[in-house]
Amino acid sequence: MNSERPEERGTPIGRRVLLGTLGLGALGVVTAPGLQRGLEGFLGGAADKDPTGLTGLLPNGGGFRYYSVTSSVPHKDASDYRLTVDGLVDRPGAYTLGELRALPQTRLVHDVQCVTGWRVPGTPFEGVRLSRLLDAAGVRPTARAVRFTCFDGAYSESLTLDQARRRDVMVALRMQDKDLGHAHGGPVRLYVAPMYFYKSAKWLSGITVTDEVRPGYWEKRGYDVDAWVGRSNGRDDEPTG
């Protein structure tokens, strides 16, 4: 198992870049597919180096908002990505990106709902059901929950074991019919279809089976641990699935 490289600190975006980004946001909806992809890529790259989080408030062609809780996130690809599975399991181990891609893949299409209010309808995700990885690891009888850690060095999430075994919870490798890009949490992220999007941790690097639910990054800051869309955090959004 390779150890993670220390996080590289990014520099804040400059004033010209930020003003230019705000100008692009004022354009509103971008209709040309090529321009959509260019705008989405630009905003993703700028947000990756923006510790203020301001770029995360801007719209883009795909409807998503870019956000990270750290000033920068290292890039991973097939040459250095590893997903570890450990904790209360009989067979701890690690998967390369190629090994994850070789496993049976599942496709889900649901709306994505953020707890801040924005929604992206009919978003396809593809990947490996989390339950498959848990079964392969051999979960011990004392296990009650699963904790997720990320290679940004800061973010974490948790699910109960029953929630983690749902058929609409996956380790996602693709989104919107293309490989997960860095700005969307690639190369691998968690996807929890029926919950608010903060549960779908980006830049996933670790799955640890535990004896209790351990509140994640946002739960420690007041968000609900159980994040069912429309039934938590004081919101009444329509369910996503």
Side-chain angles (χ1 to χ4, degrees):
M1 184 188 308
N2 291 339
S3 61
E4 298 287 351
R5 293 196 301 266
E7 179 185 330
E8 298 176 3
R9 304 295 295 179
T11 56
I13 60 173
R15 183 172 183 272
R16 290 183 180 179
V17 174
L18 178 58
L19 291 176
T21 303
L22 290 170
L24 287 170
L27 291 175
V29 177
V30 182
T31 57
L35 189 54
Q36 278 189 3
R37 289 191 295 271
L39 178 57
E40 187 169 331
F42 173 82
L43 290 177
D48 185 37
K49 298 177 177 61
D50 175 18
T52 69
L54 290 176
T55 47
L57 303 176
L58 300 176
N60 65 76
F64 285 86
R65 305 296 186 267
Y66 296 93
Y67 188 72
S68 169
V69 299
T70 63
S71 64
S72 67
V73 181
H75 287 246
K76 300 281 185 180
D77 57 28
S79 68
D80 60 359
Y81 178 78
R82 297 293 184 274
L83 174 63
T84 60
V85 182
D86 57 20
L88 297 176
V89 298
D90 294 327
R91 296 176 293 277
Y95 292 87
T96 66
L97 188 55
E99 288 169 339
L100 289 171
R101 288 171 174 166
L103 293 174
Q105 304 290 297
T106 294
R107 178 181 169 91
L108 298 173
V109 181
H110 292 281
D111 294 354
V112 167
Q113 177 69 53
C114 180
V115 74
T116 60
W118 57 264
R119 190 180 187 106
V120 182
T123 304
F125 282 85
E126 297 171 62
V128 182
R129 282 200 177 105
L130 178 57
S131 60
R132 178 178 293 275
L133 300 183
L134 295 175
D135 289 345
V139 175
R140 294 177 183 171
T142 55
R144 296 291 181 271
V146 184
R147 183 171 184 261
F148 307 93
T149 51
C150 307
F151 62 78
D152 67 350
Y155 203 80
S156 64
E157 259 305 337
S158 286
L159 295 171
T160 68
L161 192 56
D162 286 342
Q163 291 167 353
R165 289 191 177 281
R166 287 177 59 104
R167 294 176 62 84
D168 52 6
V169 176
M170 70 163 61
V171 171
L173 309 176
R174 291 172 59 81
M175 186 184 82
Q176 295 176 318
D177 299 316
K178 55 189 176 184
D179 291 345
L180 269 171
H182 179 76
H184 285 301
V188 178
R189 72 177 297 160
L190 185 66
Y191 177 51
V192 185
M195 293 188 178
Y196 285 104
F197 210 35
Y198 65 87
K199 301 296 286 191
S200 297
K202 299 199 291 186
W203 305 300
L204 183 66
S205 62
I207 298 172
T208 301
V209 180
T210 62
D211 58 357
E212 63 180 357
V213 170
R214 300 177 186 178
Y217 183 91
W218 285 117
E219 286 92 354
K220 292 177 180 177
R221 292 158 174 80
Y223 283 31
D224 286 355
V225 173
D226 287 330
W228 306 106
V229 174
R231 291 190 282 132
S232 65
N233 293 291
R235 297 187 60 88
D236 59 356
D237 305 286
E238 289 294 322
T240 56

